[in-house]
Amino acid sequence: MGKSKELSVDLKKQIIDLNKSGKSLGAISKQLQVPRATVQTIIRKYKVHGTVVSLPRSGRKRKQSHAAERRLVRMVKSQPRITKKQVCKDLEADGTQVSVSTVKRVLHRHGLRGCRARKKPLLQKRHLKTRLKFAADHMDKDKTFWRKVLWSDETKIELFGHNTQQYVWRRKGEAFNPRNTMPTVKHGGGSIMLWGCFAASGTGSLQKVNGIMKKEDYLQILQENLKPSARRLGLGRSWVFQQDNDPKHTSKVVKEWLNQARIKVLEWPSQSPDLNPIENMWTVLKKRVHARKPSHLAELHQFCQEKWSNIRPEACQELVDGYQKRLVAVKMAKGHVTKY
């Protein structure tokens, strides 16, 4: 026998109203064409719960106990890279058999969801120590100090955005429809290497690097672009130059020139791109350039120059003025990588 259809809320309310008016169960049953036992059940539930709306049911008995569920969550928290299938196997080895969907539901209930692991630099103990020292030494610096810093770095931009991801809305079986695919070319169709700098007052020079950069090439870039950028950005005389610890940057010939030019260099912790706000600038630049869909490397370079110069000074200042948050994040993470 199939399951009978549940009565509507309006019909249940009529039953209650008729009962309150003094009618008997039999009279209500006859008038509304509802079985007498059903009328009695609805009235009894109303007297207990004060409503005719169906209450949540308990559902099927839980596959796992609360203790077993907590153990599953602890297992995943201690091994974030473990797969759902592996979790099932480990639990089965201990005598508990659950499905992949059950594992998924339990983890979702505890706020754990599968996400792509973020790619971040490998940090060793010495890196953690220098990052914490940098944060402690500069925690008391105010906005005026950071506004005098000229930030710099290099980045590679590929013609067809080989490292970018694109999501599409499609139906099952339409994955290879040309409208739903992302064209690729071997080796990204080519790329260009750029050196750039910026400060709170705006963007500085953006220089294309030809071939593999050597220390002599880097020195030439600094000689031709560093001081002109600082003057154009109005940094005055007491500005500070930031660069990472790439061997080209810390080579003897570069150090000597920086000393002779009386340029103060910010002491920098290795493996710390999250402390350099120019990384955020590169992200903005790449998104805007790839939105223009350049067709060849010369056009890619042209778009890079245009988009770099069009970044608003207000955006640069906002990025730099929030620098102390990065230091706090490093301290809170005990030197480990941060969201920046």
Side-chain angles (χ1 to χ4, degrees):
M1 184 176 179
K3 184 179 178 181
S4 60
K5 188 176 180 181
E6 186 175 358
L7 299 183
S8 67
V9 175
D10 290 336
L11 185 55
K12 291 178 181 179
K13 286 181 179 179
Q14 288 183 45
I15 292 172
I16 299 302
D17 291 338
L18 291 172
N19 176 255
K20 287 181 177 179
S21 67
K23 287 200 171 187
S24 65
L25 299 179
I28 297 173
S29 172
K30 187 175 182 181
Q31 180 178 336
L32 299 179
Q33 297 296 309
V34 177
R36 187 180 186 279
T38 302
V39 173
Q40 186 177 19
T41 301
I42 291 171
I43 293 172
R44 184 171 64 248
K45 285 185 177 179
Y46 178 79
K47 289 180 179 180
V48 174
H49 302 290
T51 181
V52 294
V53 178
S54 297
L55 299 174
R57 296 169 173 82
S58 60
R60 193 182 71 176
K61 186 178 178 181
R62 293 171 65 93
K63 186 78 173 180
Q64 285 189 303
S65 65
H66 290 288
E69 190 169 301
R70 289 194 298 270
R71 178 175 172 272
L72 190 157
V73 173
R74 284 197 304 270
M75 180 192 301
V76 173
K77 283 185 175 181
S78 63
Q79 306 174 68
R81 298 181 184 181
I82 193 172
T83 64
K84 294 190 290 289
K85 288 185 178 180
Q86 187 59 51
V87 171
C88 292
K89 287 182 180 179
D90 290 352
L91 292 176
E92 189 175 354
D94 293 339
T96 304
Q97 191 169 4
V98 293
S99 66
V100 172
S101 57
T102 298
V103 171
K104 183 179 178 180
R105 283 195 298 271
V106 169
L107 296 178
H108 284 188
R109 212 162 33 237
H110 288 265
L112 295 168
R113 296 186 177 273
C115 304
R116 292 194 309 273
R118 303 294 177 87
K119 294 182 180 180
K120 292 289 185 177
L122 175 64
L123 295 176
Q124 299 176 357
K125 286 185 179 181
R126 55 188 173 89
H127 297 134
L128 302 180
K129 186 176 180 180
T130 55
R131 283 166 60 83
L132 285 171
K133 184 178 184 303
F134 179 85
D137 292 346
H138 297 86
M139 191 69 73
D140 61 342
K141 303 291 185 184
D142 57 14
K143 293 179 181 179
T144 56
F145 173 82
W146 299 113
R147 288 178 181 178
K148 288 286 187 178
V149 176
L150 185 64
W151 308 91
S152 73
D153 196 16
E154 297 89 28
T155 191
K156 182 178 75 169
I157 301 186
E158 294 184 341
L159 181 59
F160 293 115
H162 181 70
N163 292 324
T164 61
Q165 294 192 41
Q166 179 69 56
Y167 293 91
V168 296
W169 293 103
R170 63 172 176 82
R171 291 188 175 92
K172 187 176 181 181
E174 296 180 348
F176 299 103
N177 185 307
R179 293 169 60 87
N180 300 329
T181 60
M182 190 173 177
T184 61
V185 179
K186 259 192 176 182
H187 313 298
S191 62
I192 60 174
M193 180 70 72
L194 299 172
W195 174 92
C197 62
F198 92 105
S201 51
T203 55
S205 298
L206 186 69
Q207 185 71 31
K208 180 184 175 187
V209 179
N210 295 317
I212 299 175
M213 182 189 281
K214 299 178 182 179
K215 57 185 178 183
E216 293 80 10
D217 303 319
Y218 183 65
L219 176 60
Q220 184 178 355
I221 289 175
L222 296 186
Q223 291 172 336
E224 295 176 355
N225 297 279
L226 207 55
K227 286 188 175 181
S229 293
R231 284 194 297 268
R232 190 165 65 253
L233 294 172
L235 297 183
R237 294 184 177 182
S238 57
W239 58 279
V240 180
F241 176 52
Q242 181 277 334
Q243 61 176 358
D244 61 29
N245 295 324
D246 185 283
K248 297 183 293 293
H249 302 173
T250 57
S251 63
K252 184 178 179 181
V253 64
V254 171
K255 282 184 176 180
E256 288 178 352
W257 180 82
L258 289 170
N259 287 332
Q260 292 171 3
R262 296 182 180 179
I263 296 175
K264 185 178 179 181
V265 180
L266 184 66
E267 188 175 350
W268 193 251
S270 299
Q271 298 288 77
S272 300
D274 56 338
L275 287 173
N276 191 350
I278 202 171
E279 297 294 339
N280 304 83
M281 299 287 282
W282 292 142
T283 301
V284 171
L285 177 67
K286 291 175 182 180
K287 285 182 179 179
R288 294 182 181 181
V289 168
H290 287 139
R292 293 284 302 273
K293 301 186 186 306
S295 57
H296 50 81
L297 292 179
E299 197 170 48
L300 175 64
H301 184 212
Q302 177 191 338
F303 291 166
C304 286
Q305 293 289 350
E306 292 175 4
K307 295 301 180 182
W308 183 252
S309 60
N310 288 338
I311 295 177
R312 296 181 302 107
E314 295 81 7
C316 299
Q317 182 170 324
E318 183 180 356
L319 193 58
V320 173
D321 283 353
Y323 193 77
Q324 193 176 41
K325 294 178 182 178
R326 297 174 187 255
L327 303 179
V328 173
V330 169
K331 184 178 179 181
M332 294 295 292
K334 298 180 180 179
H336 289 278
V337 294
T338 66
K339 66 178 183 179
Y340 298 99

